[in-house]
């Protein structure tokens, strides 16, 4: 083959740890309120996927003594990619750990993991067991499965946002070593220091990012975002979430200018910030792709085109 | 490296000015250049020089389609692989197509010309690239974000699919099979969307439709309202949904008869071939696959190509 898509090809999963006895509250929230499909439960772990996803999970929740982000999983094409990326990461002085298949997660192929400058752990793998689409592969009705109707039931995991005290170092690592590209960047007013960035590897049409970097504590999660079909859908989803007593961020449904998505942010029972998003601009995995540039004094417009006041609490990490 | 996305469609039109008005006032594109009698246009949320080229001609149709690659070395590599697979390949100099770097043009087994290129001049988003109001206020026409995909017709869609998968690393998300087990419609992606290029039954070298993406199902509805108000000819069913892919859709025609589509939907593919088995539609379900609400496929659906 002359041409070949290589390296990271998609966001695979987010794995979080919650101090939630028997994961009772989490399982109820992610299945019944958010509308994900639970695909595996074992003592201390629950795995979920969205109804349009063919792989076994895109969200993994472990029961842990402390709440925290465990790792973010990205899919590469094959084991050759793992070797090449391992060499590039090690060349920066960051140690890489190799795991055989089914370790630490059943159904995952061989993987490499490492801690990025922001303090978060990334795991790269080529295989995540394909269960097939929940709708079946034979002339399917691409409709939300009946048992999930009346919930947001997002279609896909869309992106994960992390915080770090040094956004420039994390953005630089993601760009230079893992070959992510910026779709949007926010800097100080003189353009010098990056404060936040949206980064992508996928050429996709919703969300414009797979990982975003915000200023804040090291190693923490800012939010996890899921894909919805459109803005009208998200308005209805906000009704379902409110009815279930979910804590919705004070921005409410809004156009997030930073990324141009139509977004609704809210919190799970343990305080993890989640997002439903639609729209955005198509991304292109190309070296000449240019990011939208934002400066700090436009932060309020960047975070919400519709709201008049800056919501400081939005900037804090949630896990 | 690899193909990144569908870059442009170069169309033959009988009246360039009428066509330009259609693509600006109805579709909602920006006119970005006029060179040697050709008009170049781009959608508001694509930063490249053009996604549509209008060529004066005495008939409607497709002159070529363009796909971008993300490594300049891909051009030579793709040319060699295409030639090894028996395809004719020619070279295009920089700026032979305005706003575009050098390229290679591959003749597909269906006789369509497929141009690969690395560089496009940047014009930025319509809203601007610095602290923009994300939604422009001066837009005309449909609320189109970008040119998304095209469906071309081929006497043997399976043969073209095999070429595109083998030579250019396309993957297949969905397909329709006829009762004899032949591939009748093939949906192929080179990024992470459902399809960049699709093949349907019909004459070699023809265009079935070009699809423009809007954000919201409501934008498709308002798009149909606009088409009807402006007297733009639409497909018989007006607003519909494709069961295939599960997207909201309306088909309409430019003044020369080239078919356009407004559509909305969200669909993610893994970005590499063979990772997920394709969705397969069988003939007994194709009515629902083509027009989900109406559950019927009029003959004009496949017959009308340019
Ligand atoms: Fe987000
Ligand atoms: Fe289409």
């Amino acid at each position: 083959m002359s041409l070949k898509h290589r390296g990271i090809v998609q966001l695979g999963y987010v794995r979080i740890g919650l101090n939630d006895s028997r994961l009772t509250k989490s399982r109820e929230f992610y299945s019944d309120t958010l509308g994900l499909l639970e695909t595996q439960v074992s003592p201390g772990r629950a795995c979920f996927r969205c109804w349009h996803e063919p792989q076994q999970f895109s969200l993994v929740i472990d029961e842990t003594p402390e709440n925290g982000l465990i790792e973010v999983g990205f899919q590469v094409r094959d084991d050759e990619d793992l070797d090449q990326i391992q060499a590039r990461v090690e060349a920066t002085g960051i140690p890489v750990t190799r795991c055989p298949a089914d370790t630490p997660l059943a159904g995952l192929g061989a993987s490499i993991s490492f801690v990025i400058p922001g303090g978060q752990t990334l795991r790269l793998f080529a295989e995540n067991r394909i269960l097939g689409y929940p709708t079946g592969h034979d002339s399917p009705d691409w409709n939300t499965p009946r048992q999930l109707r009346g919930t947001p039931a997002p279609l896909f995991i869309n992106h994960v946002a992390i915080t770090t005290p040094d956004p420039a170092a994390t953005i630089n690592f993601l760009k230079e070593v893992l070959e992510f590209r910026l779709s949007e960047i926010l800097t100080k007013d003189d353009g010098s220091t990056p404060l936040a960035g949206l980064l992508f590897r996928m050429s996709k049409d919703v969300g414009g990012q797979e990982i975003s970097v915000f200023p804040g504590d090291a190693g923490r999660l800012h939010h996890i975002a899921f894909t919805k079909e459109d803005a009208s859908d998200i308005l209805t989803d906000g009704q379902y979430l409110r009815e279930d007593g979910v804590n919705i961020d004070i921005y409410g449904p809004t156009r997030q200018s930073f990324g141009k998505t139509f977004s609704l942010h809210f919190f799970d029972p343990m305080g993890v910030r989640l997002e439903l998003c639609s729209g955005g601009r198509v991304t292109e995995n190309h070296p000449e792709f240019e990011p939208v540039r934002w400066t700090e004094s436009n932060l309020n417009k960047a975070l919400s085109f519709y709201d008049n006041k800056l919501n400081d609490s939005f900037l804090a990490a949630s896990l | 490296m690899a193909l990144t996305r569908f870059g442009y469609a170069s169309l033959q039109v009988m009246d360039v000015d009428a066509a330009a008005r259609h693509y600006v006032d109805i579709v909602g594109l920006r006119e970005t250049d006029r060179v040697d009698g050709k008009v170049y246009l781009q959608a508001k949320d694509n930063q490249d020089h053009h996604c549509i080229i209008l060529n004066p001609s005495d008939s409607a149709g497709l002159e070529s389609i363009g796909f971008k690659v993300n490594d300049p070395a891909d051009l030579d590599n793709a040319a060699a692989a295409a030639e090894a697979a028996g395809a004719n390949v020619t070279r295009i100099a920089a700026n032979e197509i305005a706003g575009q770097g050098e390229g290679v043009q591959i003749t597909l087994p269906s006789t369509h010309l497929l141009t690969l290129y690395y560089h496009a001049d940047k014009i930025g988003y319509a809203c601007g690239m610095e602290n923009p109001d994300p939604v422009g206020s001066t837009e005309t026409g449909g609320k189109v974000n970008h040119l998304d995909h095209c469906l071309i017709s081929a006497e043997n869609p399976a043969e073209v699919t095999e070429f595109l998968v083998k030579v250019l690393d396309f993957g297949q998300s969905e397909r329709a099979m006829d009762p004899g087990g032949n591939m009748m419609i093939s949906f192929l992606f080179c990024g992470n969307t459902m399809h960049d290029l699709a093949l349907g039954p019909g004459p070699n070298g023809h265009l079935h439709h070009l699809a423009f993406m809007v954000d919201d199902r409501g934008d498709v509805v308002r798009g149909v309202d606009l088409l009807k108000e402006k007297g733009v000819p639409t497909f018989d069913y007006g607003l519909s949904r494709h069961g295939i892919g599960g997207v909201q859709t309306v088909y309409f025609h430019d003044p020369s008869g080239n078919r356009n589509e407004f559509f909305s939907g969200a669909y993610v593919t893994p970005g590499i071939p063979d990772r997920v088995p394709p969705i397969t539609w069988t003939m007994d379900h194709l009515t629902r696959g083509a027009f989900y609400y109406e559950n019927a496929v009029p003959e004009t659906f496949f017959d009308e190509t340019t």
Side-chain angles (χ1 to χ4, degrees):
Chain A
M1 188 161 314
S2 68
L3 303 192
K4 204 164 179 183
H5 294 88
R6 295 237 65 121
I8 292 170
V9 290
Q10 67 172 342
L11 172 60
Y13 65 87
V14 178
R15 181 177 169 211
I16 58 177
L18 297 177
N19 179 1
D20 172 18
S21 177
R22 294 170 175 266
L23 296 175
T24 307
K25 279 188 282 185
S26 310
R27 290 180 59 197
E28 187 185 334
F29 175 83
Y30 283 96
S31 293
D32 301 344
T33 296
L34 187 57
L36 304 186
L37 295 166
E38 192 175 78
T39 52
Q40 282 176 44
V41 205
S42 50
R45 178 171 298 162
C47 299
F48 302 88
R49 64 169 166 166
C50 301
W51 72 264
H52 207 302
E53 292 174 337
Q55 77 277 14
Q56 59 169 348
F57 54 69
S58 54
L59 177 68
V60 178
I61 304 177
D62 288 359
E63 185 183 340
T64 51
E66 309 233 340
N67 293 341
L69 172 65
I70 300 174
E71 63 189 20
V72 179
F74 282 100
Q75 185 148 16
V76 299
R77 180 158 191 157
D78 54 30
D79 290 347
E80 199 184 318
D81 285 329
L82 293 182
D83 294 342
Q84 286 180 7
I85 294 173
Q86 175 168 5
R88 288 207 300 270
V89 173
E90 284 173 343
T92 68
I94 294 175
V96 174
T97 307
R98 266 210 178 239
C99 283
D102 294 316
T103 312
L105 298 168
L108 206 66
S111 64
I112 59 172
S113 68
F114 47 91
V115 180
I116 63 172
Q120 292 81 6
T121 298
L122 259 50
R123 181 175 302 281
L124 273 48
F125 55 91
E127 304 288 337
N128 188 12
R129 184 183 298 140
I130 298 293
L131 305 178
Y133 292 114
T135 53
H137 284 241
D138 179 13
S139 309
D141 290 290
W142 277 125
N143 295 333
T144 308
R146 205 170 282 275
Q147 78 268 26
L148 300 181
R149 293 182 201 165
T151 73
L155 287 83
F156 305 98
I157 191 167
N158 188 283
H159 62 267
V160 56
I162 57 174
T163 59
T164 162
D166 186 357
T170 297
I171 291 171
N172 199 47
F173 177 86
L174 292 171
K175 279 176 62 183
E176 301 305 322
V177 182
L178 300 182
E179 299 183 311
F180 277 86
R181 307 190 189 285
L182 276 167
S183 61
E184 313 244 347
I185 177 91
L186 185 133
T187 63
K188 292 208 157 130
D189 277 358
D190 63 8
S192 62
T193 314
L195 301 172
L198 312 183
L199 297 110
F200 68 94
R201 283 281 304 169
M202 296 164 73
S203 295
K204 64 179 184 186
D205 50 20
V206 176
Q209 61 200 297
E210 280 88 67
I211 186 164
S212 42
V213 179
F214 288 92
D217 300 335
R220 297 191 67 192
L221 173 82
H222 189 272
H223 66 268
I224 305 169
F226 296 93
T227 307
K228 286 293 311 209
E229 183 162 352
D230 61 24
S232 311
D233 239 3
I234 290 175
L235 297 177
T236 309
D237 296 338
Q239 297 169 229
Y240 298 145
L241 294 174
R242 167 59 58 235
E243 189 178 343
D244 275 6
V246 173
N247 177 12
I248 295 177
D249 185 271
I250 195 71
Y251 274 140
T254 189
R255 176 78 58 193
Q256 195 173 299
S257 314
F258 193 45
K260 199 212 152 198
T261 50
F262 190 88
S263 297
L264 179 71
H265 293 87
F266 53 99
F267 297 88
D268 85 355
M270 315 301 291
V272 179
R273 187 187 289 108
L274 304 170
E275 175 187 2
L276 296 171
C277 71
S278 71
R281 297 186 187 87
V282 69
T283 47
E284 184 192 5
N285 184 0
H286 193 290
E288 294 186 341
F289 189 88
E290 290 181 356
V292 171
R293 295 174 299 277
W294 293 88
T295 47
E296 197 175 7
S297 50
N298 290 278
L299 183 63
N300 186 35
K301 182 168 92 172
L303 295 180
S304 175
F305 192 47
Y306 297 162
D307 297 84
N308 298 332
K309 266 207 297 216
L310 181 67
N311 167 19
D312 286 317
S313 69
F314 182 82
L315 291 170
S318 71
L319 186 67
Chain B
M1 297 294 282
L3 267 63
T4 57
R5 61 170 284 102
F6 180 32
Y8 74 85
S10 178
L11 292 171
Q12 296 168 198
V13 294
M14 279 101 87
D15 179 338
V16 167
D17 290 319
R21 280 196 299 277
H22 168 86
Y23 284 98
V24 171
D25 295 343
I26 304 299
V27 179
L29 306 186
R30 305 174 270 167
E31 185 176 317
T32 60
D33 217 343
R34 280 196 189 230
V35 185
D36 298 334
K38 299 179 187 183
V39 181
Y40 294 75
L41 304 113
Q42 181 54 277
K44 65 182 162 75
D45 279 344
N46 188 309
Q47 52 185 241
D48 288 356
H49 179 267
H50 56 263
C51 69
I52 295 288
I53 308 170
L54 302 174
N55 304 273
S57 172
D58 49 16
S59 62
L62 193 59
E63 189 270 326
S64 65
I65 48 176
F67 280 76
K68 285 176 76 184
V69 295
N70 56 13
D71 184 341
D74 288 340
L75 298 178
D76 283 344
N77 292 337
E83 275 168 350
N88 187 49
V89 178
T90 57
R91 297 271 163 177
I92 296 186
N95 280 313
E96 197 172 319
I97 296 172
Q100 216 174 279
E102 62 174 325
V104 297
Q105 204 160 56
I106 298 168
T107 306
L108 298 181
S110 51
T111 76
H112 295 92
L113 292 178
L114 186 150
T115 307
L116 300 180
Y117 60 108
Y118 171 79
H119 170 76
D121 289 356
K122 293 293 182 190
I123 59 165
Y125 300 132
C127 63
M129 301 297 284
E130 281 176 47
N131 300 310
D133 283 355
V135 185
S137 57
T138 57
E139 294 156 17
T140 58
K143 293 185 74 70
V144 163
N145 295 330
H146 63 269
L147 173 65
D148 187 86
H149 65 267
C150 69
L151 173 54
I152 57 178
S153 65
E155 288 164 17
N156 188 347
E159 181 190 20
V160 187
T161 297
E162 196 193 329
F163 180 91
L164 291 167
V165 171
K166 226 170 70 179
V167 178
L168 298 175
D169 206 29
F170 275 86
Q172 188 177 52
S173 55
E174 306 206 10
R175 60 188 183 168
M177 306 299 278
D178 75 13
N182 303 304
M183 199 184 294
M184 186 181 162
I185 319 177
S186 173
F187 298 88
L188 301 170
F189 59 85
C190 62
N192 299 80
T193 58
M194 180 204 163
H195 51 338
D196 297 86
L197 181 57
L199 296 145
N204 278 341
H206 275 220
L207 171 71
H208 185 273
H209 72 268
L210 283 177
F212 298 94
M213 185 158 197
V214 298
D215 264 350
D216 205 290
R217 285 169 293 179
D219 295 331
V220 182
V221 175
R222 283 182 286 279
V224 188
D225 286 337
L226 175 77
L227 296 169
K228 290 298 176 185
E229 186 208 337
K230 301 287 185 193
V232 177
T234 64
F235 189 70
D236 287 352
Y237 293 164
L239 180 70
S240 191
R241 176 182 174 88
H242 291 314
I244 299 174
V247 295
Q248 224 64 47
T249 174
V250 59
Y251 288 123
F252 54 102
H253 291 93
D254 76 13
S256 295
N258 296 307
R259 195 190 303 201
N260 300 161
E261 176 184 22
F262 287 145
F263 89 105
S264 74
Y267 195 125
V268 170
T269 45
I272 42 178
D274 301 329
R275 186 56 52 116
V276 179
I279 295 286
T280 302
W281 292 81
T282 48
M283 277 306 103
D284 47 336
H285 292 288
L286 192 63
T287 48
R288 181 167 56 85
F291 295 100
Y292 194 67
Y293 304 123
E294 295 81 0
N295 197 22
V297 189
E299 279 184 3
T300 50
F301 176 63
F302 287 117
D303 290 351
E304 282 179 6
T305 61
T306 56

mmCIF file of all heavy atoms in Angstrom, chain B residues 149 195 209 211 261, ligand 2:
data_model
loop_
_atom_site.group_PDB
_atom_site.id
_atom_site.type_symbol
_atom_site.label_atom_id
_atom_site.label_comp_id
_atom_site.label_asym_id
_atom_site.label_seq_id
_atom_site.Cartn_x
_atom_site.Cartn_y
_atom_site.Cartn_z
ATOM 1 N N HIS B 149 -19.141 15.272 0.869
ATOM 2 C CA HIS B 149 -18.903 14.042 0.111
ATOM 3 C C HIS B 149 -19.529 14.141 -1.269
ATOM 4 O O HIS B 149 -20.300 15.054 -1.552
ATOM 5 C CB HIS B 149 -19.470 12.828 0.846
ATOM 6 C CG HIS B 149 -20.968 12.825 0.991
ATOM 7 N ND1 HIS B 149 -21.610 13.346 2.100
ATOM 8 C CD2 HIS B 149 -21.963 12.385 0.171
ATOM 9 C CE1 HIS B 149 -22.918 13.204 1.950
ATOM 10 N NE2 HIS B 149 -23.172 12.633 0.795
ATOM 11 N N HIS B 195 -18.631 9.009 4.987
ATOM 12 C CA HIS B 195 -18.163 8.848 3.612
ATOM 13 C C HIS B 195 -17.608 10.157 3.076
ATOM 14 O O HIS B 195 -18.087 11.240 3.391
ATOM 15 C CB HIS B 195 -19.252 8.323 2.683
ATOM 16 C CG HIS B 195 -20.556 9.073 2.727
ATOM 17 N ND1 HIS B 195 -20.959 9.847 3.780
ATOM 18 C CD2 HIS B 195 -21.556 9.146 1.830
ATOM 19 C CE1 HIS B 195 -22.139 10.360 3.522
ATOM 20 N NE2 HIS B 195 -22.532 9.961 2.346
ATOM 21 N N HIS B 209 -24.418 13.064 -6.962
ATOM 22 C CA HIS B 209 -24.663 14.306 -6.217
ATOM 23 C C HIS B 209 -23.436 14.734 -5.417
ATOM 24 O O HIS B 209 -22.541 13.939 -5.134
ATOM 25 C CB HIS B 209 -25.874 14.176 -5.288
ATOM 26 C CG HIS B 209 -25.643 13.307 -4.076
ATOM 27 N ND1 HIS B 209 -25.919 11.966 -4.058
ATOM 28 C CD2 HIS B 209 -25.151 13.600 -2.843
ATOM 29 C CE1 HIS B 209 -25.618 11.474 -2.863
ATOM 30 N NE2 HIS B 209 -25.146 12.433 -2.094
ATOM 31 N N ALA B 211 -22.620 16.685 -1.754
ATOM 32 C CA ALA B 211 -23.342 16.948 -0.507
ATOM 33 C C ALA B 211 -22.650 18.010 0.332
ATOM 34 O O ALA B 211 -21.440 17.962 0.547
ATOM 35 C CB ALA B 211 -23.471 15.667 0.296
ATOM 36 N N GLU B 261 -26.920 18.264 -2.433
ATOM 37 C CA GLU B 261 -27.632 17.779 -1.244
ATOM 38 C C GLU B 261 -27.270 18.667 -0.064
ATOM 39 O O GLU B 261 -26.105 19.012 0.113
ATOM 40 C CB GLU B 261 -27.212 16.322 -0.949
ATOM 41 C CG GLU B 261 -27.817 15.730 0.321
ATOM 42 C CD GLU B 261 -27.307 14.311 0.648
ATOM 43 O OE1 GLU B 261 -26.205 13.942 0.170
ATOM 44 O OE2 GLU B 261 -27.997 13.591 1.385
HETATM 45 FE FE1 LIG C 2 -25.159 12.155 0.088
#
